[in-house]
Amino acid sequence: MALSDRDQAILDFERSWWTEPGSKEAAIRDRFQLSPARYYQVLNGLIESADALAYDPLVVRRLRRLRDRRRRARYERRTSGERPLR
């Protein structure tokens, strides 16, 4: 299944969102008409796609690495007995 225009736009946005003025959350709401929570749900599904990897391998690999680091850190906090951050 090929990437939709929205999927491509999300990957393009992730490539350079920090160059835009304002917060990332505001840009997500303005550009995609999505809440940040929904945007990240879509993004996490998207970066699992082979089509997304073919479209922009650098961005997809970077996002996968960041996600995996966060998961590992959460797991290590849980197994060490630390209280979760809130």
Side-chain angles (χ1 to χ4, degrees):
M1 184 174 142
L3 293 177
S4 68
D5 291 340
R6 182 183 80 166
D7 293 342
Q8 290 178 4
I10 287 172
L11 292 172
D12 294 341
F13 176 73
E14 284 297 320
R15 186 181 314 115
S16 61
W17 65 265
W18 55 87
T19 62
E20 297 184 16
S23 71
K24 183 176 183 181
E25 288 76 17
I28 288 168
R29 288 181 193 281
D30 291 344
R31 185 175 290 190
F32 301 108
Q33 287 75 49
L34 295 171
S35 70
R38 180 65 185 137
Y39 172 84
Y40 288 113
Q41 289 173 340
V42 170
L43 179 62
N44 279 317
L46 181 58
I47 64 175
E48 289 302 316
S49 159
D51 291 331
L53 184 62
Y55 178 75
D56 198 335
L58 294 176
V59 168
V60 170
R61 286 189 186 118
R62 177 177 55 86
L63 292 171
R64 286 178 180 176
R65 273 193 315 273
L66 290 170
R67 180 194 59 197
D68 293 344
R69 256 187 237 145
R70 285 188 209 104
R71 282 182 180 168
R72 201 169 17 259
R74 280 193 307 269
Y75 175 77
E76 289 170 359
R77 277 195 305 271
R78 272 195 305 247
T79 59
S80 71
E82 283 183 41
R83 294 183 61 141
L85 300 175
R86 294 194 191 238

